[in-house]
Structure formats: structure tokens, C-alpha cells
Amino acid sequence: MAGLLIVNPRSGDESGSDGLLEAAAKRGVRVHVSRPGEDLAETARQAPDGPIGVAGGDGSLAPVADVCLERDLPFVCVPFGTRNHFARDLGLDRDDPVAALDAFVDDVERRIDVGRANERLFLNNVSLGLYARLVHRREQHRRRTEAVARLRALAILAQHPHPIGIAIDGKPVRARVVLVANNSYSLEVFSLGEREGLDEGCLHLYALAGPLRSAWEERKGRRFVVGASGPLGAAVDGEPDELETPIEFRVEPRALRVLVPRAVLSAQ
């Protein structure tokens, strides 16, 4: 079946890319190493028919996955970034990108949900307001210990006690943190746990009014509309962005064809 692997060398350790390229070639997979400023979606649109994979972090995946939806082509995730949350929830070993390449040859397909924020696709989640700021700060200091990261997050919460001024489905909500997730997360105040599934067919909206885990308010549905007086700062799959309001969040159940190594299904 082979296919094309787009490698984003800036997502991970560039020194490890040579072994990944060699392993891909052994499996008959063509490789394209992206350049700074390159549009990954356009690269995927120009690819021949067949599976298209991305070796990168969470922020590299969605643009290519969206093109795979447009073209009805299988998508392959190869963990090659800092956190690789999507790869983890898919059941891949985040520390073994070479093993993920077996998806190209094993031809084992899953159908998973994708989310949309207006027209922008997301695979994991979209955070708004203060939580987006926390994500950006944590990304800037991702090499620090988890304890230090949590203390920094707590300090930011203490400095910004006011709600972000939004309405959800037309009703005002007092919350400093809002997160819309593609499927359900185990959730802590300053970090996200794992998702048990990727094909539930629902979005989960989490709103945090206070600093404690018990203050999370959770809603579940296929569509939410978030309104505000102007654009909202956001983190879309961990990538900083600004979204025009109102933001229509919706889920597309089992829309994306994803190839996984046969070993992943055997382990589940």
C-alpha cells in the first residue's frame, strides 16, 4: 500500500530523523521533509493517491488529516513531537516512531471522530481564554519539570481571577477556562489525561469557574456555539490561534480513516 510520509523535523529531535527516513524507505514509503514555512496541507493535496502520514507533533497533524478527509484517503500518525497526545490516545508508543510506520504496510484501518471549530479541524481539543494562555506558557517552558509548570499555571490563575466573558449556546457562562474536546478526557486542573476512545461521536465541553478540580462543569453534545464580544485567544491542538466569534464547535463522527499498526489492535 505504501504512501507518503511528511516529516516535520522541527517538531522533534532532528538528529533522530535519519533513522526514521531509513525505516520509511525500507517499508516502501516515500518521504517528504518539510521546509520552514511550508504549507503541510498543500503538500498533502499534491500527493498521489494513497495513505498520507505525518511525522510530527500534535500541531502538525490536523492540516494533513483535513486533506485526507477531503480526498477520502487514509491518514497515518507517526509520533515525532514533544507530547504526541493524539498518538498516545490512538494507542501508539510515543517513544517509538519507527514502529508507527508499520501502519503503512499492515493496512489496518480505524474510523475516528474529528472536531471542527468553525471550519478548522481539530483532533484533540480547543482551549479558550486563560487555558489557552496556560498552554502557550507551558509550551514555551516545556523542558521544565511538571511541578514547576503547575506552579506557574497556578500563579497565572491567581493573577487572572475574572471570567473570560463568553456565552455558550446563547447563555452567559462565568468561567476562566473553557476547553472543547473531541471525545472525553480524564481532566485535571492544569493538564489533560488520556481519552479512552476516539469514536464516541460527541464533543465534551469543560468550563472551569474556580481553581479546584471539583469546579469543572462538563457538557456533552454534538454541537456547541461559543459567543463573545470579539475574537478569542485559543490553542487548537496546542497551537496558538485567534478564533472569530461566534465559534461553532461540531463533531464529525467516525469521519477520518486512520491506519494503525496491527500490534496496536492486538494490544487493545
Side-chain angles (χ1 to χ4, degrees), residues 46 64 76 155 170-171 195 212 214 228-229 249 251:
Q46 300 301 320
V64 176
V76 176
K171 296 181 180 181
R195 288 173 286 184
L212 301 177
S214 60
S229 60
F249 291 97
V251 66

Side-chain angles (χ1 to χ4, degrees), residues 63-114:
V64 176
D66 204 5
V67 173
C68 287
L69 275 174
E70 293 174 8
R71 300 182 58 189
D72 190 26
L73 296 176
F75 176 71
V76 176
C77 169
V78 176
F80 200 61
T82 304
R83 290 188 174 81
N84 304 301
H85 287 165
F86 178 74
R88 173 200 63 195
D89 296 342
L90 195 60
L92 301 175
D93 183 345
R94 292 185 289 180
D95 297 322
D96 193 353
V98 170
L101 293 172
D102 287 341
F104 281 102
V105 294
D106 288 348
D107 194 22
V108 176
E109 183 174 304
R110 291 182 56 187
R111 287 272 186 173
I112 69 163
D113 307 336
V114 301

Side-chain angles (χ1 to χ4, degrees), residues 25-37:
K26 288 181 178 179
R27 291 163 173 79
V29 178
R30 295 186 303 107
V31 175
H32 173 88
V33 179
S34 67
R35 299 175 296 277

Side-chain angles (χ1 to χ4, degrees), residues 189-264:
V189 175
F190 303 126
S191 63
L192 294 176
E194 298 184 18
R195 288 173 286 184
E196 291 186 0
L198 295 172
D199 57 359
E200 179 189 2
C202 282
L203 299 176
H204 287 252
L205 185 148
Y206 304 93
L208 180 66
L212 301 177
R213 181 176 178 178
S214 60
W216 283 110
E217 175 191 339
E218 180 178 356
R219 307 183 187 192
K220 176 181 175 181
R222 288 199 169 194
R223 178 180 178 272
F224 299 106
V225 177
V226 173
S229 60
L232 288 173
V236 182
D237 286 347
E239 291 293 303
D241 200 359
E242 188 174 77
L243 299 178
E244 295 294 330
T245 57
I247 309 168
E248 180 189 12
F249 291 97
R250 65 186 188 277
V251 66
E252 297 179 5
R254 298 174 59 84
L256 183 63
R257 301 167 57 195
V258 179
L259 298 182
V260 297
R262 192 173 305 278
V264 168

Side-chain angles (χ1 to χ4, degrees), residues 129-138 140-141 149-162 176 190:
L130 183 57
Y131 201 33
R133 185 170 179 174
L134 298 180
V135 170
H136 297 173
R137 290 286 187 91
R138 188 174 61 186
Q140 292 169 9
H141 302 279
R150 285 173 180 266
L151 287 174
R152 291 181 59 85
L154 183 59
I156 295 172
L157 277 173
Q159 293 168 10
H160 297 81
H162 303 296
R176 293 182 290 167
F190 303 126

